[in-house]
Amino acid sequence: MQVSEDEFYTLVQKAVAEIPERFAKHLNNVAFLTADVPTPLQQRASGTLHGRGQVLLGLYEGIPLPRRTGGYSGVVPDVITVFQNAHEMLAPNAEVLERMVHQTVWHEVAHYFGLDHGQIRALERP
């Protein structure tokens, strides 16, 4: 399911706006970006290797909230990047695309709060 860059960015903004207030009020100094594909540096940072069946939907880059010390100030924003091509490749329609973007944004925000993949999966289980 392909959409324009503007439409994809709007989906990301909508997902950010839907972050529950109890979490959103603690999001400080975080930039939400979109990109077509991850850079080689982002690919390495994520631990995914292109061509090995792994698809990177999003990436959190920064210092998770629990690891910050009292001296944490004057730093560049943490960055959450959502990758458009991967979402388009996996989403068969607009409804699934929107749901996937929402889940990716939440997943990366959970990393901001210091949760690892196991903890995130446990929270996502019904």
Side-chain angles (χ1 to χ4, degrees), residues 7-23:
E7 289 169 318
F8 189 76
Y9 185 72
T10 298
L11 289 175
V12 171
Q13 286 184 311
K14 182 178 180 196
V16 171
E18 293 173 354
I19 295 170
E21 178 59 27
R22 69 180 191 265
F23 298 109

Side-chain angles (χ1 to χ4, degrees), residues 26-61:
H26 297 289
L27 283 173
N28 294 308
N29 203 31
V30 180
F32 289 86
L33 306 176
T34 60
D36 288 335
V37 296
T39 66
L41 182 62
Q42 288 172 319
Q43 198 78 40
R44 281 192 299 279
S46 73
T48 60
L49 299 173
H50 184 68
R52 295 212 175 173
Q54 297 172 319
V55 177
L56 186 60
L57 297 173
L59 182 65
Y60 166 72
E61 296 174 280

Side-chain angles (χ1 to χ4, degrees), residues 103-121:
Q103 184 166 357
T104 299
V105 168
W106 162 247
H107 183 99
E108 300 311 326
V109 166
H111 286 311
Y112 168 87
F113 285 106
L115 301 177
D116 64 27
H117 284 106
Q119 293 167 313
I120 294 167
R121 278 191 290 279

